[in-house]
Amino acid sequence: MNLYTATSLLGTTLFGALAANVLADEEGPIIISGSGTTNPSKCFWHIMAKLEEQIKIPVRMTYRAVGSGTGQKEFLGKGIDIDGTITDTEIAYNDFGSGDIPISAADKEKWNNNGIEFAQLPFVLSAVSFFHNIPGVPNGEMGLNMTACLLARVFSADITEWDHPDIKEINPGLNVEENYPIYVGRRDLGSSSTYSITHYLHAQCPESPDEPKGWPEDKAASKIEWDPTTNACDGSGPMTTCIRENEGAIGYIDAAHGHEADLKEIKLKNGDGFFLTSKEAGIDGVQAAAADLSTVPSTAFGDFTNVAYYNMKGPKTWPISLVSYVYIRKDLSHITNPVSRTLLKAFATALFDPDYIGLCERYGHIPVPAEVKDISMAGIAELNWDATEDQEWTFEKKTSPGWGQGDYVISKKRKSFGLYEADRLADDMQPLMEDLADLKAEMAVLKGIGLSSGSAVVNMAWGVGALVGAVMLSLY
């Protein structure tokens, strides 16, 4: 089965499901919707698709990837434009919000004082990194090394050329033209990736009398004033485009997105002084950053603003490790259908179930430690779902004759061929794409050392061509 056939089957399946929805329920499907950070968006979409696949009756689950700042605004009803006036309406515009940064202590206090309580549910860890587009400089051992102090100077436009002596000092093999300009890509709107990289810069290289060009504390935030010579690239997609389409570019993005786009990752200096990429740090390196749970509150209704994992110690520890949160209000009366409320509860519960959150490993997301999971699960239990027992959703993990056919049963035994085939093709493609990335990296190394022609490059090009051909054959 090729990708074209699988896509056609998936479209047919979805069309049939939509037609069945209309026939099955004149009032339409049961709906929940969320909005927020782009970082775990693929994780959300995959879990939502899996749940929709496993539910018998018509449901519709959506997530709008708009950034952590917008997700928080829509969750809280903060900074909403009403006829040209920015207003805190305190109305929930989504059923749940999500962000890679906790809601600020000031906002939490204000909304709590106005009678609006909410849980913040940490559910996955992930990495943010810097990527570049310097021709001839590959990923891996011969890749680009950067410290937080050098990055601080680049992003404040103090260093504007790649052949600057301080960059060359820790990259003696860097071969670029004289005065080769740096194209700096950065986010403009409120962004968790901006929040994380600026906190990393300040944690490793704070502005001080000894380091006057370090990163200032007041610029460690989700939205800051950038030097006007830098370039706005808002959103993961636009940032990818900025880096890919501008030679000499540097930017930052969640690591999994950068890897998926085959961008070249910078080797960052971590808390122990080692240079590494997030791939080299791996799952263990991200988890090691979050080993200290002393700042995590004892309840999901507590203050998470001190939970930060930047520049943590450890030889393989990744220095920019994020915690992603789901935000849910305690009073859910704005969701008028009680079955929609309990569907949201089932979705939130699935974020801590290995059968569902395990789907997200391919997107670079790692489940939170067991102690943090327990805090989140207790928070889910404390929310006011306000539904009767027969309006609750349950999960069928083992075959249960009769009961498993219930309307509000999420059954592991129920599947769709379209999603099955899409998952299978993704698994088949992964090793091919990894081999292709390795070959491209080897070609970049050869180019970087001056072998721009000759049999070595020709043979390598043939290898890339053959591999691309194999990839294309697997799709058709």
Side-chain angles (χ1 to χ4, degrees):
M1 180 70 63
N2 59 40
L3 184 58
Y4 176 82
T5 306
T7 304
S8 299
L9 282 169
L10 181 58
T12 303
T13 301
L14 290 174
F15 180 82
L18 288 171
N21 287 356
V22 174
L23 293 172
D25 186 352
E26 292 181 358
E27 295 182 357
I30 298 161
I31 298 174
I32 62 169
S33 63
S35 62
T37 173
T38 59
N39 180 20
S41 56
K42 296 182 185 71
C43 174
F44 285 144
W45 294 331
H46 200 155
I47 291 174
M48 287 174 166
K50 180 62 68 175
L51 291 171
E52 288 178 348
E53 172 190 64
Q54 295 177 344
I55 293 171
K56 184 178 78 172
I57 63 175
V59 298
R60 174 69 171 144
M61 308 173 75
T62 73
Y63 180 76
R64 187 164 137 267
V66 289
S68 296
T70 299
Q72 288 190 0
K73 287 180 179 180
E74 294 183 344
F75 174 72
L76 295 170
K78 176 187 177 183
I80 305 299
D81 188 338
I82 306 294
D83 297 327
T85 301
I86 303 302
T87 306
D88 290 346
T89 65
E90 299 185 356
I91 296 170
Y93 293 85
N94 52 29
D95 297 330
F96 70 92
S98 182
D100 303 314
I101 49 178
I103 291 173
S104 71
D107 283 345
K108 181 182 182 302
E109 181 179 13
K110 177 180 176 180
W111 264 255
N112 286 178
N113 289 342
N114 290 340
I116 301 172
E117 296 181 79
F118 50 82
Q120 299 184 77
L121 310 174
F123 70 103
V124 287
L125 305 170
S126 60
V128 167
S129 192
F130 292 85
F131 294 84
H132 73 88
N133 181 13
I134 306 174
V137 179
N139 280 315
E141 282 300 313
M142 297 182 68
L144 180 69
N145 296 324
M146 291 292 278
T147 66
C149 286
L150 284 174
L151 289 165
R153 294 172 66 188
V154 167
F155 278 83
S156 61
D158 178 66
I159 293 178
T160 58
E161 296 164 345
W162 281 117
D163 59 335
H164 190 283
D166 292 346
I167 294 178
K168 296 276 286 186
E169 183 178 353
I170 61 170
N171 294 280
L174 182 61
N175 183 21
V176 295
E177 298 173 3
E178 186 177 357
N179 303 323
Y180 190 60
I182 300 175
Y183 178 100
V184 177
R186 43 77 177 172
R187 300 283 288 268
D188 195 27
L189 301 175
S191 159
S192 56
S193 54
T194 298
Y195 181 94
S196 60
I197 67 106
T198 56
H199 276 77
Y200 160 68
L201 298 180
H202 180 70
Q204 188 177 109
C205 187
E207 182 183 50
S208 68
D210 293 333
E211 192 63 64
K213 295 181 180 179
W215 198 258
E217 185 175 9
D218 62 358
K219 283 196 172 185
S222 61
K223 182 177 181 179
I224 66 171
E225 290 293 325
W226 296 97
D227 186 276
T229 63
T230 60
N231 303 277
C233 309
D234 264 314
S236 298
M239 180 63 77
T240 299
T241 301
C242 277
I243 297 170
R244 180 181 286 144
E245 295 188 356
N246 293 281
E247 289 193 359
I250 184 174
Y252 54 90
I253 198 172
D254 62 276
H257 195 119
H259 298 154
E260 183 180 51
D262 200 22
L263 300 177
K264 293 185 286 189
E265 188 176 3
I266 292 172
K267 296 167 74 76
L268 299 184
K269 183 179 178 182
N270 72 2
D272 269 11
F274 293 93
F275 290 94
L276 74 169
T277 65
S278 61
K279 275 191 173 182
E280 291 166 344
I283 291 174
D284 291 343
V286 176
Q287 289 177 324
D292 181 4
L293 302 178
S294 61
T295 59
V296 177
S298 59
T299 169
F301 296 90
D303 180 6
F304 285 84
T305 53
N306 291 323
V307 179
Y309 300 117
Y310 307 112
N311 202 45
M312 306 299 284
K313 295 292 185 181
K316 284 285 188 179
T317 300
W318 183 244
I320 317 176
S321 296
L322 289 186
V323 183
S324 294
Y325 301 82
V326 161
Y327 321 122
I328 304 179
R329 293 194 178 204
K330 188 170 186 178
D331 177 1
L332 291 162
S333 58
H334 61 284
I335 305 175
T336 56
N337 185 345
V339 179
S340 291
R341 291 196 291 269
T342 54
L343 181 60
L344 176 58
K345 180 181 180 181
F347 169 72
T349 302
L351 297 176
F352 302 94
D353 184 329
D355 286 345
Y356 299 95
I357 201 62
L359 299 170
C360 301
E361 183 177 340
R362 70 173 63 172
Y363 310 119
H365 301 300
I366 305 161
V368 292
E371 299 91 332
V372 179
K373 172 184 174 179
D374 291 343
I375 291 169
S376 293
M377 290 298 292
I380 293 171
E382 287 185 54
L383 299 172
N384 296 332
W385 300 108
D386 193 20
T388 60
E389 185 175 350
D390 62 354
Q391 294 169 328
E392 292 276 354
W393 295 81
T394 53
F395 291 84
E396 181 190 33
K397 296 296 185 78
K398 295 181 179 180
T399 303
S400 300
W403 172 80
Q405 273 293 94
D407 284 349
Y408 303 143
V409 174
I410 302 169
S411 176
K412 189 178 179 181
K413 305 297 180 178
R414 186 176 289 113
K415 300 180 184 296
S416 73
F417 184 72
L419 190 57
Y420 158 78
E421 188 69 359
D423 283 343
R424 186 187 70 78
L425 286 171
D427 291 339
D428 289 348
M429 285 287 293
Q430 188 61 33
L432 290 172
M433 298 309 295
E434 289 174 357
D435 289 345
L436 180 59
D438 289 343
L439 281 170
K440 289 172 69 177
E442 290 179 37
M443 288 186 70
V445 171
L446 292 174
K447 184 177 179 181
I449 60 177
L451 295 178
S452 58
S453 62
S455 60
V457 174
V458 170
N459 290 338
M460 193 69 68
W462 275 108
V464 172
L467 187 54
V468 170
V471 170
M472 297 306 295
L473 283 173
S474 73
L475 296 178
Y476 293 97

